[in-house]
Amino acid sequence: QVQLVESGGGLVQAGGSLRLSCAASGRTFSSYTMGWFRQAPGKEREFVAAIRWSGGSTRYADSVEGRFTISRDNAKNTVSLQMNSLKPEDTAVYFCAASRIPVVVTTSSAFDYWGQGTQVTVSS
């Protein structure tokens, strides 16, 4: 069982930066693929980024490639999402998720555990 708690969301102007963090409980955190998803009002939840258990492999949505960076610290049971050059279209609730699949996956159905989400609002 893994419990996930996100933090770091907020209001930022376009072009600004935010760093989201996800704290995980559970002794097997280091074996999980971790991901970030987001959901804007009236839209489906979409993949943002994912990182393999070892941190050696990552994947990004085309819309955030080059602007967002996912990282993890297995010693601290945390995964982070550094978001730079934010755009109004990045506004959404951001969710941290954990998957028992040991390779990078990008579909929400592949993730077993979810956090409650943190709001990110980017003003124009």
Side-chain angles (χ1 to χ4, degrees):
Q1 188 77 11
V2 175
Q3 292 185 326
L4 306 171
V5 179
E6 303 96 336
S7 62
L11 173 65
V12 64
Q13 288 189 331
S17 299
L18 278 176
R19 185 177 180 86
L20 304 183
S21 293
C22 174
S25 65
R27 290 176 293 177
T28 59
F29 169 80
S30 61
S31 66
Y32 287 84
T33 290
M34 299 299 297
W36 287 95
F37 288 76
R38 66 187 182 186
Q39 187 167 18
K43 293 188 177 181
E44 298 283 323
R45 187 172 298 187
E46 65 174 1
F47 169 76
V48 175
I51 186 167
R52 192 167 176 250
W53 65 271
S54 64
S57 179
T58 58
R59 186 83 61 85
Y60 297 92
D62 290 343
S63 59
V64 307
E65 181 84 53
R67 300 187 297 122
F68 291 10
T69 303
I70 188 172
S71 60
R72 68 189 295 163
D73 185 337
N74 288 339
K76 296 182 179 179
N77 279 14
T78 59
V79 61
S80 298
L81 185 69
Q82 178 66 42
M83 306 186 295
N84 298 328
S85 301
L86 283 161
K87 305 175 181 179
E89 51 263 43
D90 294 318
T91 295
V93 177
Y94 283 71
F95 298 89
C96 175
S99 171
R100 287 173 289 188
I101 299 173
V103 296
V104 174
V105 287
T106 62
T107 56
S108 59
S109 60
F111 287 81
D112 305 286
Y113 304 102
W114 293 83
Q116 301 244 350
T118 186
Q119 176 71 46
V120 171
T121 302
V122 184
S123 63
S124 57

